[in-house]
Each structure stands twice: as C-alpha cells, then as structure tokens.
Amino acid sequence: MTESTLVPGAKGTHDDEVEHIFGLTGALSASINGYRPRQAQTEMAKAIADAISGQKTLLAEAGTGTGKTYAYLTPALLWGGKVIISTGTKNLQDQLFLRDIPTIKKVLKAPVSVALLKGRANYLCHFHLERTLQNGRLTSREDVGYLRDISRFMKTTSSGDKAELARVPETASVWNLVTSTKDTCMGSECQYYQDCFVMKARKEAQQADVVVVNHHLFFADVALKDTGIAELLPSANTVIFDEAHQLPDTATLFFGETISTSQILELCRDVLAEGLSHARDGAEWAKLVAPVERAARDLRLAFPQDVVRLSLSQIAPSSEFFPSLDKLKDTMDDLIAVLEKQAERAETIEQCRVRAIDLQTKIDDWKEPEPNAKAGAVPKADYVLWVEAFSTSLQLHRTPLSIAPIFNKQREGVPRTWIFTSATMAVKNDFAHFVSQMGLWNEPARTWPSPFNYAEQGILYVPEGMPQPNSREYTDAVVDAALPVIEAAGGRTFMLCTTIKAVKHCAERLREEFEKRHLNFPLFVQGDAGRTELLDRFRAAGNGVLIGSQSFWEGVDVRGDALSLVVIDKLPFSPPDDPVLAARIEAMEKKGLNGFVHHQLPEAIINLKQGAGRLIRDELDKGVLMLCDPRLISKPYGKRIWQSLPAFTRTRELTVVQDFFKNLAVVKLQEK
C-alpha cells in the first residue's frame, strides 16, 4: 500500500493496472473459475480507483451481474489505505468476510489484514453467560438445551460470534440472557474485561487494514457511540457502502429515538431481581416496581386497537394516552429516587439506576425535544413525534424529517473517499431521490448497465382484467391470475407481496388450489421458518413456491432452475398511514414539490427494481416477471415505472407466457 495514494488530489491513474487485472490475461481470469472479463466491471473499478486516489465521493449504480463486489474490492485492497466496508445485512457481511475478500486478497496477493465487526448483541458475554447459568431463570426445556450448547461453544470459540453456532437459532430468546447491551455492560469494571469478545473484536478492527461492518452498526455508532466505529472512522481513508439504497431507512432509524414500554417492563424485572439479591432490606421492591409496570401497561391500553401508528398531532387531546404518560413519568421518578439511595450496594443496581434515568430522559425529550439533546441533533421542528402500538407494547418514536444534515455532519472533517454502490439507487439513471435523501448534492454519480440480455432472457407480464388494487377481491384475483403461470413454470416461483396479510391469504388459497388441482409444488411461507432455512429448502426442492413480503424482495440470490417466475402482487408504495411519510410529504409540498412524484414514486420504483432483480441472476437464467398491478398500464406514471425496470420483452397475454415456459422445457430436455 503506497503512501502516495493518500495525498489529496494525487492523480493516481491506476487505469492500466485495473485493465490488466480485470482483462483476459489478468489475475482474475487466471485464478477464478468461470471468470469472464466484463467491460462494465472494469470501468466501475477504474472509477472507484480514481475516486480513491483523489479522495472523492462517488455514487456508483451497477446493474445485476456487473460484479460490483470485485469492482470495489480490488481498488480498495490495493490502494484504499484503511478501508471500512459497510453492507446491508449481517449475511452479506459474513459473505464478504468469509468468501469475497479472501478470494480477491489471494488473487491480488494483497498484504492486508481484515477484521469483521458486528454489534455487541452478536457476541457472547462471559459475565452474562455465567449469571444465567447460576440463576437458572430459564423457562423452556428448549432454552435449557440451547444454553448447554452455548456454554460448550464458549469454551472453543475464539470470536464469540453467535453466527458460528448455527445449532442455536439467531431468534432464540436465550441469546438476550448471554449477550450484553450498552446499558448492561460493566466495561473495564468487569472481571472478564481482558477476555471480552466485544473488546477483542473492536481491537482487531482498529488494527486491521480492512474492516467489514453493516449499516446498522455504522449508524448506531454515529448516533450512540457504542460500536467501536467512533474510533475507526478518524483513521479511515476509504468508506464503501454496498447496498447503499438501504442507507436512508437505516440512518432514519438510528438518528431517531425510540422508547418502548417493553424496555420499561424489562427494567422493572431487573430492578426487582437485583434489589432482592443485593439490597433486600433497602426497599419493598415488589411494591416499588408494580406502579411503574401498571403505568407502562396502561399507556399501551390507551389505544384499544391491535396495531396503531399515529403522529402526536393525530392523538385526540381527550385520549387516555396523555394522563397515562404523565403517570408513567411520576412512577419512574419514585423508582429512580430509591435506586439513587441503593445504587452503591451493587454494581448491577447502579446499572439499573443509569438505565432508568436514560429512559426517563428519553420520555421527557419525546414530548419536548431539546434541540441539543445529543451530538448531531437537529432542531426540534425537524422531527416527527409518533406512536406505534403492537399487541403487547407501545413505542414512542422521534424520527428526523431528513437525515441529510446529520449525515453531512459525519462526512465533514478529514478528507476521505466515500463510495456509495448498489444495483438500485437511480430511477431511469436519475439519482435525484437518493441524493436529496442523503444530502450528496453535486457529487459525481455513474451507472453501469447489467451485461444480461434481458429481452431474450425474460418476459415482463402484466395480466389483463385485474381489479383495482384497493378492492376487496384483489388478492384473490392475484392468485387466480398467477395459478396458470405457476403451473406453466412447474412451480419454481417467488410470490412477493407488499403486506403480511396478503402473504397469509395467498398461502391459504394456493394450498387449497394445489390440493384441488393435484399440483405437487412444495409451499414455503414467510414466518414458517427463518429466511435462510426457507431459502435453502426452496432451492433444494427445485419446484417450490415461496411466498414472502419485504424481507424477500432483496438480498436473496437463487440462481438457475429453482426460480423461473417472480410474481409481484402490487406496486410497493409505502402505506399511506405512515406518520413519517406523511410529515415528509407535507414538508416537500411546502417547498412546492409534489410528494408523490418526488418521494413516493421513486421510492416505489427502487423497491420494485429490487424485487424484479430476484429473477435473472446470471447469463443463463431465464424467467418471467409477473406484475399484477393494473396501475402499471392505466396510470400516467406507469410508463416511468416500467422504463426503470430491466428491458424484458413485454406482454399482456397468458398464452405468450405459457409458450415461453413450454419452449424452455423443450430446450432443457434437449440439453439433457
């Protein structure tokens, strides 16, 4: 790694080297099975190398099949200096760390050290594991078995990363008892501090040349200063965001603030346990926490409906919500007063005191946010206050209207390279929507099209005679229209729905219809198992039908014959009852912009491009994308939508689609 590449403005023209590495006789062709040079990949790698040598920002959209991972890893490992790579999910993070980076590192013989850094909830905590083993507070037999597995794992693991222990599902509740949070970590006071997996991972990350993180971690750190990136960022020369289209949502999540009644109930549970363990004579602990628990539950009961999303201004002034919130604050004050007196009796009681004060402050801020409540905060007028009720809990949210000012603040200071890359950031080569969300005005943006021949490889099918998407019978009409296509495809279908309700309804209907028609297509439904397990089973079946909502629209890669049909029920517009969306649209309309054209439409298009991107994953894939929503044809904006999708051959006739699958089957037979 040469020092000259870190000089601001140095004209590090690496074009010839990039050409050679990615060319026919280059290192990638020589070392990677099945590698073929692609013009778009080479051009993208050059643009990234140029941004790195000039310490510039670059927005790089690369269509599916461009090979964007190698296009950014090659210049990053060779000339990037200290590099932070942030990706959309923990799965992608593991894939980069375990597969892609080692491959490129070996091919280029790059002498770089690489570290993986996740949020603290992913690492086993010695202290909490020991306490859980001693307490024996586990209720289910399953958890007892999992705890035994975790205890064995602790003796052999060097990283403490729970992803390595596949036997215990990531969603198992026992993990909460054997990992730490920012609130429950003892820090350097802990007797296991020297062996702590979180500290070890952070130390490795500080010393490594390349660190792989995920967006959640990156922004949690910027907001909470609790993930180890605060120490990493100052020394980083290059920051690369892969799956960058997810950044606006992730950043919004973390630059906002959320308090949940379940956090308060959890605090009460811990106060009771620690009080009885360490200060039994200090207070009547059960009597102390009972009013707080009652107030938290009453706050949830202020809304009788099952699921509620309301902005503060939409809550009726006469609602029980306001007196319940005041009552919660009063009971929290009483709790804190006792914890103040008893805190010195045990470190764990002191921790409860800190947590209680933190929650109380957040509740106070929620009603009257302090403009300077935390670093990077924006004036209170720029936040949306809203509540969200679930079956047993209520959340108070404070969400920024725009993350652009906060994110720009993070990018100030030391000059460094910022790369934003994804297959879906632009709408018909126009980056305006992403740019305005992230505040990346006047930064260079480039698009490289997919190398796939979409017109030959796929068909976009919009069925005739569909009812309006808001009509009662719409989901049934989707199933009716999709059935003959699923049959023609021989299963091998993703059915992507915009709501969980539609997922359930489609699953019920298809189960009945398959039975009635004696169709032997295994059905895989989101929620029946974890995402990874469902996908593995779907791939293995070879003729399955998988029904899912948002989590299957992106980051899912099924190549080859197992997937030949993607059915999308509706255009993925955000639900109109979303208080944050409503506030953002109102703010845009005050500036004379059209909320639908400038926000909802581009958002839906980017989401739809992700869903459509599941179909064709390599040069040999063939298939049909079936969009059931009639607005694609009937509305003036429909044209803008389908022009942003891959250039499939388009049809409205079922017979064309059925013939396509027949021909495909004939070709497959001939190949055999």
Side-chain angles (χ1 to χ4, degrees):
M1 234 171 279
T2 57
E3 280 303 311
S4 65
T5 59
L6 308 183
V7 179
K11 278 284 162 269
T13 42
H14 297 294
D15 285 9
D16 295 346
E17 288 160 273
V18 170
E19 281 278 0
H20 180 65
I21 291 166
F22 286 87
L24 261 176
T25 57
L28 294 172
S29 288
S31 315
I32 296 171
N33 260 345
Y35 176 82
R36 286 190 301 284
R38 277 165 280 191
Q39 187 60 33
Q41 186 182 44
T42 309
E43 292 303 322
M44 182 179 171
K46 283 184 195 170
I48 288 172
D50 187 48
I52 285 173
S53 54
Q55 292 194 318
K56 294 186 292 228
T57 294
L58 174 69
L59 282 65
E61 183 183 74
T64 311
T66 308
K68 65 181 165 68
T69 310
Y70 289 0
Y72 69 70
L73 281 180
T74 299
L77 297 193
L78 289 174
W79 309 296
K82 171 100 180 177
V83 182
I84 297 175
I85 300 172
S86 181
T87 183
T89 61
K90 283 183 289 193
N91 286 352
L92 286 170
Q93 212 185 338
D94 286 334
Q95 184 182 310
L96 268 174
F97 180 72
L98 299 169
R99 197 178 76 194
D100 298 334
I101 294 177
T103 301
I104 291 292
K105 186 179 157 179
K106 192 174 163 193
V107 166
L108 300 174
K109 301 183 173 60
V112 294
S113 54
V114 187
L116 181 67
L117 185 60
K118 296 182 181 178
R120 63 160 72 241
N122 292 280
Y123 299 100
L124 266 182
C125 166
H126 292 78
F127 174 73
H128 284 95
L129 175 63
E130 189 187 350
R131 265 185 69 196
T132 304
L133 288 166
Q134 284 170 353
N135 283 351
R137 269 202 262 173
L138 295 180
T139 46
S140 75
R141 183 180 302 161
E142 198 176 34
D143 280 350
V144 173
Y146 288 155
L147 188 63
R148 204 175 302 120
D149 289 338
I150 291 169
S151 188
R152 276 194 215 112
F153 172 65
M154 175 68 105
K155 296 185 177 80
T156 57
T157 176
S158 60
S159 71
D161 182 349
K162 68 182 190 186
E164 289 175 18
L165 184 58
R167 268 205 314 285
V168 180
E170 199 185 346
T171 49
S173 56
V174 69
W175 284 121
N176 299 331
L177 299 172
V178 296
T179 53
S180 72
T181 64
K182 186 184 179 202
D183 295 330
T184 63
C185 170
M186 315 270 272
S188 51
E189 302 291 309
C190 179
Q191 69 210 71
Y192 298 107
Y193 187 70
Q194 295 306 317
D195 303 316
C196 174
F197 292 124
V198 173
M199 298 322 290
K200 194 174 153 194
R202 289 181 183 181
K203 201 170 181 177
E204 281 172 11
Q206 277 175 353
Q207 289 164 356
D209 301 310
V210 178
V211 186
V212 184
V213 300
N214 61 56
H215 303 337
H216 275 249
L217 188 70
F218 191 93
F219 287 110
D221 189 85
V222 169
L224 310 171
K225 300 279 177 283
D226 179 48
T227 66
I229 291 177
E231 297 91 63
L232 289 180
L233 202 52
S235 62
N237 309 104
T238 304
V239 180
I240 299 172
F241 290 106
D242 196 349
E243 303 289 337
H245 64 278
Q246 296 177 1
L247 291 177
D249 283 349
T250 310
T252 297
L253 198 69
F254 284 104
F255 291 143
E257 206 138 75
T258 297
I259 323 124
S260 167
T261 53
S262 49
Q263 285 173 288
I264 292 161
L265 294 173
E266 213 168 273
L267 171 73
C268 290
R269 221 171 30 240
D270 289 349
V271 167
L272 183 61
E274 300 310 329
L276 292 174
S277 296
H278 303 288
R280 188 173 278 273
D281 57 345
E284 291 195 53
W285 294 101
K287 278 190 184 163
L288 179 69
V289 299
V292 185
E293 290 177 330
R294 194 161 44 248
R297 291 200 174 98
D298 286 347
L299 191 66
R300 165 62 193 95
L301 295 173
F303 302 100
Q305 310 92 313
D306 264 3
V307 180
V308 183
R309 306 182 85 188
L310 294 170
S311 62
L312 182 58
S313 58
Q314 288 174 312
I315 302 173
S318 60
S319 167
E320 277 302 305
F321 171 77
F322 296 106
S324 298
L325 189 62
D326 291 337
K327 182 76 181 150
L328 180 61
K329 288 182 188 175
D330 294 343
T331 57
M332 287 283 286
D333 283 339
D334 298 343
L335 180 70
I336 289 166
V338 173
L339 289 172
E340 298 272 7
K341 289 193 185 110
Q342 303 296 326
E344 61 199 31
R345 295 182 66 174
E347 179 63 38
T348 47
I349 297 179
E350 163 62 13
Q351 266 181 352
C352 289
R353 182 190 74 87
V354 172
R355 275 163 69 190
I357 290 171
D358 183 50
L359 283 169
Q360 182 75 307
T361 308
K362 283 179 179 168
I363 295 170
D364 289 340
D365 278 356
W366 187 79
K367 283 287 287 292
E368 289 301 326
E370 287 293 318
N372 304 315
K374 63 180 180 190
V378 286
K380 96 177 179 191
D382 294 341
Y383 278 96
V384 188
L385 300 179
W386 57 290
V387 300
E388 188 170 21
F390 302 95
S391 52
T392 57
S393 67
L394 181 87
Q395 294 185 341
L396 307 177
H397 298 280
R398 184 158 78 102
T399 304
L401 262 180
S402 167
I403 58 157
I406 316 174
F407 185 59
N408 274 333
K409 214 171 165 164
Q410 296 309 315
R411 291 176 63 239
E412 284 168 7
V414 184
R416 61 173 61 91
T417 304
W418 296 85
I419 306 288
F420 300 84
T421 183
S422 162
T424 55
M425 278 192 292
V427 175
K428 246 184 88 185
N429 296 341
D430 176 0
F431 287 77
H433 179 60
F434 182 77
V435 162
S436 62
Q437 284 181 299
M438 298 300 293
L440 298 167
W441 294 283
N442 306 321
E443 299 291 9
R446 294 190 57 186
T447 298
W448 289 274
S450 166
F452 301 155
N453 184 344
Y454 284 112
E456 276 186 20
Q457 288 181 251
I459 289 180
L460 169 60
Y461 168 50
V462 182
E464 296 264 20
M466 290 294 289
Q468 285 308 304
N470 57 0
S471 67
R472 248 208 159 111
E473 66 276 17
Y474 186 75
T475 305
D476 281 316
V478 168
V479 174
D480 293 339
L483 266 164
V485 190
I486 294 171
E487 205 168 334
R492 305 183 306 151
T493 300
F494 264 15
M495 199 163 199
L496 300 177
C497 302
T498 47
T499 63
I500 295 286
K501 193 176 164 189
V503 169
K504 288 180 177 157
H505 189 71
C506 287
E508 272 170 42
R509 277 287 318 273
L510 285 180
R511 206 167 271 127
E512 286 166 22
E513 295 290 345
F514 287 176
E515 217 166 290
K516 212 189 298 177
R517 297 167 188 230
H518 306 294
L519 295 173
N520 195 15
F521 303 142
L523 203 55
F524 304 99
V525 185
Q526 179 177 335
D528 287 358
R531 186 170 95 148
T532 312
E533 191 186 329
L534 277 179
L535 282 169
D536 287 346
R537 282 167 30 194
F538 174 81
R539 283 190 194 98
N543 66 339
V545 175
L546 186 148
I547 310 176
S549 69
Q550 194 58 54
S551 60
F552 286 90
W553 283 62
E554 55 180 282
V556 173
D557 193 1
V558 179
R559 287 163 199 250
D561 292 346
L563 178 61
S564 301
L565 170 63
V566 172
V567 181
I568 291 180
D569 70 339
K570 283 184 194 180
L571 296 174
F573 289 114
S574 300
D577 66 341
D578 183 329
V580 179
L581 177 68
R584 283 180 173 163
I585 287 172
E586 193 185 327
M588 292 178 93
E589 292 183 343
K590 278 183 188 156
K591 292 180 187 164
L593 296 168
N594 179 313
F596 180 76
V597 171
H598 293 104
H599 188 84
Q600 282 167 288
L601 186 59
E603 196 84 338
I605 290 174
I606 286 168
N607 211 339
L608 189 64
K609 279 170 75 173
Q610 277 293 333
R614 298 314 100 218
L615 183 63
I616 306 292
R617 304 302 295 171
D618 66 29
E619 282 95 339
L620 300 172
D621 273 357
K622 285 190 171 343
V624 170
L625 172 65
M626 178 175 174
L627 285 177
C628 300
D629 198 321
R631 291 173 293 183
L632 203 63
I633 308 293
S634 63
K635 297 287 186 191
Y637 58 76
K639 188 173 180 185
R640 190 163 173 220
I641 296 178
W642 59 251
Q643 285 180 337
S644 296
L645 292 172
F648 295 118
T649 300
R650 295 195 300 277
T651 187
R652 304 208 64 189
E653 291 176 37
L654 175 60
T655 51
V656 172
V657 174
Q658 288 170 322
D659 289 345
F660 175 85
F661 282 122
K662 267 185 208 142
N663 295 337
L664 208 56
V666 171
V667 172
K668 293 260 184 320
L669 275 174
Q670 288 168 347
E671 282 171 359
K672 282 180 181 169

